[in-house]
Amino acid sequence: MTHAIEAQGLTRRFGRHDAVDGLDLRVPAGSVFALVGPNGAGKTTTIKLLMNLIRPTRGSATVLGTDSRKLTAADFQRIGYVSENQRLPDWMTPAQVFDYCRPLYPSWDEQLFEKLSIDLDLGARARLRALSRGTRMKAALLASLAYRPELVVLDEPFSGLDPVVRDELIRALLELPAEKPCTVLISSHDIEEVERLADWVGFISRGRLEFAEPVSSLLTRFRLIEVIAENDTTPAFPPATDNDWWFQGSAGRTLRFVDANAAHADREQQIAQTFPGCSVRISPLSLREIFVALARRSGAGARKEGAR
């Protein structure tokens, strides 16, 4: 199986609003794929469609080779799912939750469970309702990893958690045994944490997938361009500029923009020809800086559409 998840034209309409709009998505098997985007972009709705928690208005998706609308209990024995809004039986202790789950999954690995239980410090004996949100999230993650699922789906798992708990959750994911690799799909707007985990990133905006590619390709493709004039004038940003050049601002003699296709063979020559007589400084961008530039561009596009 080349792709653990495939979606074609996946759409979900609520009233007159398309929360997910014709989304095409392919998550490579064995990857850690981050679905990122601003709040309200459609990430959680996409996850719910893939997990058959809501039905698509149109389009389709397959998860581990099965139509997402036909996922059965046997399919969910191969899938681990953790959501920030997941409801757990809060009258149980963590140990009772694990005892309940253990016989439901033939692939439950007791050795892996014991290791993760220690790593996540889940010896609490109180009922879940009395425990912190971070501890409840750790219990949900452990219950979803102990049976070695082929696919782990995480919907905003780090939201509202303190840095120590985030680190423990990430470490648990990074230390999963390598002899049986699984695919991880994580939706998040917490880019610092995603950057530590993901090898693929898909950016979703207004329910549409703008792109999906390896992190290494993304970091190569985006650059910050600073154009510095020799005199006291500010360089002018070309009005009919390349669609891959995104204006970021100007101050004094310096113009700044993001180049979203900096790997293009003739890019440096094109920049020099566009800004003759200026010096140019080209700098790499972090995944967080790329996300901010994308979110700003997406927000500007939404405002333009709303003004029509």
Side-chain angles (χ1 to χ4, degrees), residues 88 130 137 165 208 234 256-257:
L88 298 173
M137 286 296 293
V165 174
R208 304 166 192 161
T234 303
R256 294 180 178 84
F257 64 91

Side-chain angles (χ1 to χ4, degrees), residues 125-141:
R125 298 183 180 181
R127 295 181 180 182
L128 288 170
R129 67 165 67 102
L131 300 176
S132 68
R133 182 175 179 279
T135 301
R136 294 197 300 272
M137 286 296 293
K138 289 193 289 184
L141 183 65

Side-chain angles (χ1 to χ4, degrees), residues 145-157:
L145 295 181
Y147 53 92
R148 291 178 175 267
E150 296 174 47
L151 171 66
V152 178
V153 178
L154 307 173
D155 184 16
E156 296 287 1

Side-chain angles (χ1 to χ4, degrees), residues 225 259 262 264-274 280 282:
I225 311 299
D259 186 351
H264 191 282
D266 301 322
R267 203 49 138 191
E268 292 190 32
Q269 180 182 354
Q270 181 184 358
I271 294 171
Q273 290 174 347
T274 305
V280 176
I282 302 176

